[in-house]
Amino acid sequence: MMDYNNVENIDDDEFLTNYSPKNKAEEHLFKALNLMKAELFQAAMVEFHQACQLNPQEIVPLAKKIYTEKIKLQQYEAALVVGVLLLSLDDTDYILATELAGYARKNNDYMQATSLYRKALTIDPNYMLALCNLGASLEKVPYYDQDAILAYKYFNNTDFIFPEYLVLSEDGKYEFDNGYIDSITSKTIEYLTQKQEEKYNKNLAIASKVGVSKEIGTSVANTWQTKKSFSKRDLTPTNYKQYLDHLSANDHELQDICNYNIILLYLKENVNILALGERVVLLTKKLETTKKELPHFDILAGLYYARIGQSDKAINIFFNVLKKDRFDRYANANLGLICRKVGRMQQSARYLIFAYYLYRRALNSFNINNLIIQARIKFSSRVFRVAKGYFMILIEEGYAEVEDYISCVQCWDFEKNTDKAIEIIQQCIAKFPESESAKITLSDFYDVLLARADTLLLENNRERMAFDLYKKAYILDHRLDLIKKLLVIMRKIKKLSDDEKKFRVHLKTELNNMLSSVPSIGNEIIQNRKENTEDRRIEYLKKAKKLIRENKYLPAVAFLESAFRIKNDQATYSILSNLYKALGNHDDLEKLNKRQPTIINR
């Protein structure tokens, strides 16, 4: 057998061409290399294993050499095959097991990666590299090696991650305000001062009734009045609790929020935790009975039980939160922290690393509302590429509202990615089937695609591009007039693919079904009147102006462009150029200016 110990690079083709097997081990080796070349990796592993059993002294060093070479070439799937073979020969090599798990992750084989990481941890439970990579692998987070360790260590000096205080907005909705306690400090001081004044006057009156001189009576009253005034540094959680209880005593709408904020304050300060028990239990039962949702209250309940040492109960609460919403940042972070405290290290790594990943993608915040706010701000500021990224996160995690889907559609359309825009519209309709806004967006975008396609037909040799846009519109809605246009334009296209021919047959069948069910429609199509281009231009302008009034600038641009291509008039050019400037779309503005220099110079 060839001596590979002094060979720097292994060339599979050279080896397979110039050397013939001399024994059974070499036969299996040749088969393995051929199978790897054909990317039949599982079969190759079997052949490698048999070769090693027959001649381990020569095959094993060769396998190590091949393994190293495949890594250099970034052929990770092939490296994984040989590496797993080497690991089977020395199943105590936890460093190799961890390395191989990383290659499995790069091949999106998370099941094998998880198995290999756990094998490494079985050998050395304290191997941090395997632990942190396992956590990242379990949640399919793109952190590897040192990045995974840094993500896990981010929480090293953290007790718990607390949600923000709640307030009630003017329209009766819950809002988050982390500065809430500071905002009520002056009111708390005012309330406590008033209570002390009342106590002072009451004790003075008692002293005068029993015949004590005024001087002595004042002294007696002062022994009861610890302070006539307070400053912020004097206040304790109990003082805030007194004011909040007073505030909500006669206002049932505020009681839940005040109880929530009292619980949160005590948990943060870690004082008198046992005194919270009754409030936590009563509020839990009330919310379960009324089916009312108090944002993040489950998080507070879990933290309460963690504070009093009932870790199993706390863990179960957080698991239940994640069953409903696996992206809940507070639940992931706190579950990971509690698991670390009780020694459940693999679960700890999993949830802490995922929490860190979610925290980073939400602009370094555990509160998803901050991401929602920023997404909408960036969109209204016309920073569409940034806004699009934020909206896609909200859609993926299930936090996007109808307006966020609609904004995301416009962002993708701005980047001229029609396919992605259609995909987001379909997702929006699927999630909010009764939403009028979603239906209007679908209809508007359908019209935009038709306008663009109609415009392309006015230019020479643009039938194929127009056809592609009509097909995309067909995805959104199977309207009769669109089916007619598709069939007409397909007759003009010289070469249709087999799939397109099948699509034409499908369209003819659909058209016949429509005509047979509604005969009167057939008469309209038979007339087949040529559309008046001027009427069409006016219709485009009407739609564009309506969309501009609704602040839907991106779809308005499509109709203006269509109208402008039909007739190069100054008014349309002015509106269109101003829109491009407002949207920051300098490329299209430049193209517009080049297209109509005569208009600009007038």
Side-chain angles (χ1 to χ4, degrees):
M1 179 174 290
M2 181 179 179
D3 180 12
Y4 277 89
N5 292 325
N6 299 316
V7 177
E8 188 170 340
N9 294 303
I10 295 174
D11 188 316
D12 289 347
D13 290 335
E14 181 187 346
F15 181 67
L16 292 170
T17 303
N18 297 334
Y19 298 93
S20 57
K22 297 181 179 60
N23 53 49
K24 202 69 175 173
E26 289 188 20
E27 284 181 18
H28 287 298
L29 174 63
F30 268 61
K31 284 182 182 178
L33 292 174
N34 273 310
L35 289 166
M36 284 177 67
K37 192 175 179 182
E39 297 187 357
L40 299 170
F41 297 112
Q42 294 303 317
M45 188 186 294
V46 174
E47 296 297 334
F48 257 122
H49 186 70
Q50 290 180 341
C52 284
Q53 285 185 321
L54 292 168
N55 189 357
Q57 292 81 9
E58 292 190 30
I59 300 294
V60 171
L62 174 59
K64 290 179 180 179
K65 203 82 172 177
I66 293 172
Y67 173 70
T68 303
E69 190 64 26
K70 294 301 180 186
I71 293 171
K72 284 182 184 177
L73 296 171
Q74 297 184 346
Q75 296 176 0
Y76 297 121
E77 197 167 0
L80 190 60
V81 170
V82 184
V84 168
L85 167 70
L86 295 172
L87 185 63
S88 69
L89 300 172
D90 180 7
D91 61 1
T92 63
D93 192 343
Y94 60 90
I95 295 175
L96 176 61
T98 304
E99 191 176 280
L100 292 173
Y103 300 142
R105 281 175 68 196
K106 288 178 180 178
N107 290 327
N108 294 318
D109 189 346
Y110 291 98
M111 186 177 294
Q112 185 177 27
T114 298
S115 175
L116 287 164
Y117 284 132
R118 284 184 168 149
K119 180 179 181 64
L121 289 168
T122 302
I123 302 164
D124 183 355
N126 299 315
Y127 189 40
M128 186 61 67
L129 198 67
L131 177 68
C132 296
N133 276 286
L134 171 63
S137 178
L138 288 169
E139 289 294 342
K140 300 181 181 178
V141 169
Y143 294 149
Y144 293 86
D145 303 333
Q146 292 306 313
D147 287 340
I149 292 175
L150 288 173
Y152 183 63
K153 286 186 174 180
Y154 179 81
F155 296 94
N156 272 3
N157 300 315
T158 306
D159 180 21
F160 292 115
I161 303 296
F162 298 97
E164 297 177 354
Y165 292 99
L166 279 184
V167 293
L168 205 59
S169 66
E170 291 181 359
D171 58 358
K173 293 181 179 179
Y174 293 121
E175 292 181 352
F176 298 98
D177 182 4
N178 217 24
Y180 174 71
I181 293 298
D182 287 337
S183 71
I184 64 168
T185 293
S186 60
K187 293 284 187 183
T188 303
I189 290 172
E190 184 182 322
Y191 170 73
L192 293 173
T193 302
Q194 179 188 340
K195 297 301 289 182
Q196 291 291 43
E197 288 288 351
E198 290 173 1
K199 188 182 291 185
Y200 175 88
N201 292 330
K202 181 180 178 181
N203 289 328
L204 188 60
I206 292 172
S208 63
K209 277 185 181 180
V210 296
V212 177
S213 69
K214 186 174 181 180
E215 291 76 12
I216 297 174
T218 302
S219 175
V220 170
N222 276 331
T223 62
W224 288 88
Q225 184 194 29
T226 56
K227 277 185 182 294
K228 285 188 177 181
S229 62
F230 294 81
S231 65
K232 182 179 177 180
R233 63 185 177 188
D234 298 319
L235 297 179
T236 66
T238 303
N239 296 141
Y240 286 109
K241 171 182 167 297
Q242 288 174 301
Y243 171 68
L244 289 173
D245 282 340
H246 162 73
L247 186 67
S248 62
N250 299 313
D251 190 337
H252 295 292
E253 197 172 16
L254 278 179
Q255 280 181 354
D256 290 346
I257 286 185
C258 287
N259 276 325
Y260 177 102
N261 289 333
I262 290 167
I263 293 168
L264 177 55
L265 178 62
Y266 274 50
L267 288 171
K268 278 188 169 184
E269 299 296 326
N270 200 11
V271 295
N272 301 330
I273 303 301
L274 290 172
L276 295 174
E278 187 176 355
R279 287 178 191 260
V280 173
V281 172
L282 288 176
L283 193 48
T284 301
K285 287 181 178 177
K286 180 180 178 181
L287 295 175
E288 288 175 350
T289 303
T290 60
K291 303 297 181 184
K292 183 179 176 182
E293 288 192 9
L294 206 56
H296 302 315
F297 178 73
D298 286 344
I299 304 299
L300 293 193
L303 292 175
Y304 164 73
Y305 289 111
R307 282 282 196 223
I308 65 173
Q310 295 186 25
S311 299
D312 287 343
K313 191 164 187 176
I315 287 171
N316 285 335
I317 288 173
F318 290 128
F319 271 138
N320 287 332
V321 173
L322 293 179
K323 281 180 185 176
K324 292 184 283 186
D325 178 8
R326 69 179 289 263
F327 296 104
D328 189 295
R329 287 148 173 79
Y330 295 110
N332 276 289
N334 288 305
L335 180 56
L337 289 166
I338 295 170
C339 286
R340 185 163 68 185
K341 288 175 183 177
V342 299
R344 293 163 68 164
M345 302 308 293
Q346 291 186 20
Q347 285 184 322
S348 169
R350 172 179 189 169
Y351 294 110
L352 286 180
I353 290 174
F354 192 48
Y356 178 80
Y357 170 72
L358 295 174
Y359 167 79
R360 285 296 190 206
R361 78 194 302 214
L363 310 179
N364 296 348
S365 173
F366 286 98
N367 189 343
I368 194 66
N369 288 279
N370 293 332
L371 180 60
I372 295 171
I373 291 167
Q374 281 302 309
R376 293 171 183 174
I377 288 174
K378 292 298 182 185
F379 180 78
S380 62
S381 303
R382 302 187 180 96
V383 188
F384 296 121
R385 285 179 176 81
V386 176
K388 176 202 69 183
Y390 296 162
F391 285 129
M392 290 303 291
I393 292 172
L394 296 175
I395 290 169
E396 178 194 341
E397 296 187 16
Y399 298 125
E401 300 295 335
V402 173
E403 63 182 278
D404 301 318
Y405 278 91
I406 294 171
S407 299
C408 191
V409 169
Q410 294 192 52
C411 290
W412 281 114
D413 192 39
F414 179 78
E415 293 191 357
K416 297 180 171 57
N417 193 329
T418 309
D419 292 334
K420 201 68 183 176
I422 290 172
E423 181 186 324
I424 300 301
I425 291 174
Q426 290 177 312
Q427 290 179 23
C428 182
I429 292 291
K431 186 167 183 181
F432 304 100
E434 303 302 320
S435 168
E436 285 302 316
S437 297
K439 293 174 184 176
I440 290 169
T441 299
L442 185 149
S443 180
D444 284 348
F445 200 72
Y446 175 92
D447 290 341
V448 165
L449 293 174
L450 258 61
R452 288 173 181 166
D454 290 346
T455 301
L456 288 169
L457 286 178
L458 297 173
E459 303 177 19
N460 292 329
N461 303 318
R462 306 298 287 273
E463 288 87 358
R464 168 61 69 177
M465 294 175 67
F467 170 64
D468 289 341
L469 285 176
Y470 284 138
K471 272 184 72 177
K472 290 174 181 179
Y474 181 80
I475 295 171
L476 293 175
D477 199 347
H478 298 192
R479 295 184 194 174
L480 185 63
D481 59 339
L482 175 59
I483 294 173
K484 179 183 73 170
K485 287 183 177 185
L486 278 165
L487 289 170
V488 169
I489 200 172
M490 289 176 90
R491 285 199 294 270
K492 296 180 181 180
I493 298 173
K494 293 180 180 179
K495 291 185 179 180
L496 293 175
S497 68
D498 290 340
D499 287 339
E500 287 168 344
K501 289 175 182 177
K502 290 176 183 177
F503 180 55
R504 183 170 60 186
V505 172
H506 165 76
L507 289 175
K508 287 180 177 178
T509 303
E510 189 171 10
L511 178 63
N512 289 333
N513 290 337
M514 285 183 175
L515 295 179
S516 61
S517 60
V518 188
S520 60
I521 294 177
N523 297 327
E524 294 177 15
I525 292 183
I526 291 168
Q527 292 176 14
N528 197 21
R529 291 183 294 111
K530 186 176 180 180
E531 293 182 42
N532 186 302
T533 53
E534 178 59 20
D535 289 345
R536 199 190 320 166
R537 186 183 75 85
I538 293 169
E539 185 64 26
Y540 289 157
L541 288 174
K542 284 181 181 177
K543 287 183 177 180
K545 289 173 181 176
K546 176 177 178 290
L547 289 165
I548 290 171
R549 287 195 298 272
E550 296 170 354
N551 297 323
K552 296 177 180 178
Y553 303 122
L554 289 171
V557 164
F559 288 112
L560 287 168
E561 277 281 7
S562 296
F564 187 64
R565 287 177 186 274
I566 293 172
K567 182 181 179 182
N568 301 340
D569 66 302
Q570 180 67 49
T572 307
Y573 168 80
S574 298
I575 299 171
L576 193 53
S577 62
N578 286 333
L579 270 181
Y580 280 143
K581 288 173 187 174
L583 292 168
N585 197 338
H586 303 298
D587 291 341
D588 284 335
L589 178 60
E590 189 177 342
K591 290 176 185 176
L592 177 70
N593 290 338
K594 287 179 179 178
R595 242 186 303 153
Q596 291 298 325
T598 53
I599 290 179
I600 300 169
N601 295 329
R602 281 179 192 171

